Amino acid sequence: MTNNTAVKIDALPDPYSVPLDQINLSDPRLYAENQWGAYFRRVRDEDPVHYLKDSPFGPFWSITRFEDIVAVDTNHEVFSSEPFIMIGEPDDSLPVSNFISMDPPKHDEQRAAVQPVVAPKNLAQMEGLIRERISEILDSLPIGEEIEWVSSVSKELTSQMLATIFDFPYEDRHKLIYWSDVATGAPELSGGTVDHDERITALFDMVNTFGALWQQKAQFRAAGNAPGFDLISLMEANENTRDMIHRTEEFMGNLGLLIVGGNDTTRNSISGSVLAMNQFPDEFAKLKANPELIPNMVSEIIRWQTPLAHMRRIATRDYELGGKLIKKGDKVVMWYVSGNRDERMIENPDRVIVDRARARQHLSFGLGIHRCMGNRLGEMQLRITWEEILKRFDDIRVVGEPVRVHSNFVNGYESMKVVLTPKA
Ligand code: HEM
């Protein structure tokens, strides 16, 4: 079962009818039902640094305004990423450790080891391949009939790209999507619906599969061949990460990070961009009339969608923010999804404006030392997708309401039906 299957949704109350100190921004129904906007608006206006005493994820602070999120995200000494960056606590039976959940110096060493995979030179080399793959996917879609956009395009493209950067067997690429979904979909982590035993089995399968791939690459290198430029070869060749295969927790954690990092995020931005062009038809017309706006539109979509709703930190000492005293040891959740809609910082934040000025000034990639390592890759995939869409189609009409992910972490779509109209 993936994130959103068979979830019964009870009606959510009007946010203004709930006592302010009981508003629970971690309720996954807010995201599954697309109701989070009004809840966050109230909290941003009335109690922007908000404390909830009691929740399924324990007590936590919510940081909801743009500038306060900047203050927290850029202060890693006070706001530690250890032991974990999702609101929930990881399961003791599955200890994981990865560099997004580490502070310096370990974070910096491990990030530096894998960063070359997304270096500008490597990205430039990937561009042609991405274009070829998205073109093939788009050319294979039936015209004029209802199709499932999430599985046929968004998931397909991101799994192909991940298989490329991992040099993972192409025919098994759908496993990458599955592992990514189960990694973040546990109820105790994000309010997801993935069964505990299924999750453990899947993640061990992931570790074993990547373990075998690692050994295969090590043997290839030992036989005198030059190492590849994929993520496993880079980790295997770097002195800070080469023994990671023997540190199961870190091995599993870093693979999970790289798979999730490059997966749900880009996938949900692609789906979100199609929905946005349906909700704002004038902006779609503007884009079609002027495809040079695509790079700007891509940033605007990534802001509007905010594919990862939050990151959490733990305060390492008492700290005052917005007139509130955050105590040492408190859990602090930065809601990017709210900061990106903060009217104090962004004009008309709920609207998608494809030629918005300074569209890249958003929070979706985070800030500071953990700022998304794959941000340029994600943007590139979206840009190429739209360049190729506009060459082929006049319209991508969304039919009915999309089904959204039941999670307070992944802000995205399980399913979205569309009908394509080719260019006249
Ligand atoms: C970190 C979002 C694409 C790999 C992050 C963070 C966010 C994020 C919010 C944490 C930032 C923080 O704590 O300050 C996104 C979005 C994407 C995207 C919205 C696409 C639209 C990718 C891709 C990759 C990737 C394609 C694949 C290489 C990572 C890694 C980290 C990270 C490895 C950890 C960085 C660190 O801790 O130093 N991303 N991401 N991301 N992302 Fe992405």
Side-chain angles (χ1 to χ4, degrees), residues 73 99-100 107 111 118 257-258 261-262 265-266 269 302 307-308 311 313 336 364-367 369-374 377-378:
D73 217 359
F99 68 87
I100 202 172
H107 161 270
R111 175 169 170 137
V118 286
L257 167 62
L258 291 162
T265 52
T266 313
S269 306
I302 292 172
L308 296 182
M311 287 282 153
R313 302 290 187 254
Y336 297 138
S364 297
F365 292 129
L367 297 156
I369 61 164
H370 291 281
R371 181 171 166 79
C372 176
M373 196 187 88
L377 176 60

Side-chain angles (χ1 to χ4, degrees), residues 20 36 45 75 139 149 160 182 191 194 208 249 285 301 364 368 408:
L20 192 56
W36 50 269
D45 287 346
N75 192 347
D139 287 337
W149 182 267
Q160 291 190 13
V182 299
V194 176
N208 291 334
E249 290 174 23
I301 292 294
S364 297
N408 60 33

